[in-house]
Amino acid sequence: MQVSKLDDAARDAAMEQLPHWTYDNDASGIRRNLRFGDFAEAFGFMTRVAILAEKADHHPEWFNVYNRVEILLTTHDAGGLSQRDIDLALAIDAIAP
Ligand code: H2B
């Protein structure tokens, strides 16, 4: 399905729903960093996100060390931030601690 990059106004409006996320202009995506009690909690969270991502056919770029998870959402097919990233960010927020 075709997906387009959000324009600046749409991006700014969407970001108002996502106070835990910051827009990274260089990456043309949004970032959220999380910290958990230990690796098992962090990886458990990543597993839940992976299931959501696979269902949506939209996948995060992320980095994990022990109890830290750093997430970048951008849409490769659109060359930047799209509504798919906003939808996945909202779904991630709903299961984040
Ligand atoms: N994830 C992300 N983040 N961006 C994409 O453009 C994307 C994806 N495209 N997951 C999907 C898979 C595409 O490659 C498949 C073929 O639908």
Side-chain angles (χ1 to χ4, degrees):
M1 191 178 58
Q2 190 66 29
V3 60
S4 54
K5 186 172 166 175
L6 295 179
D7 65 26
D8 290 357
R11 183 192 70 217
D12 290 348
M15 291 308 291
E16 286 182 20
Q17 307 170 72
L18 297 170
H20 296 294
W21 297 78
T22 54
Y23 181 66
D24 180 334
N25 196 53
D26 292 336
S28 194
I30 54 175
R31 295 186 182 277
R32 181 173 179 182
N33 297 336
L34 296 113
R35 194 176 285 265
F36 296 84
D38 57 21
F39 177 74
E41 283 183 25
F43 201 80
F45 167 79
M46 293 175 79
T47 302
R48 295 208 280 159
V49 172
I51 291 166
L52 289 177
E54 187 61 8
K55 273 193 191 140
D57 192 28
H58 194 67
H59 303 89
E61 297 182 25
W62 53 10
F63 177 79
N64 160 243
V65 175
Y66 183 51
N67 64 342
R68 286 191 292 124
V69 179
E70 300 176 4
I71 305 173
L72 169 66
L73 301 180
T74 185
T75 301
H76 312 119
D77 297 343
L81 190 73
S82 79
Q83 186 61 43
R84 289 186 192 172
D85 301 304
I86 304 305
D87 293 344
L88 184 55
L90 288 167
I92 289 172
D93 284 352
I95 61 170

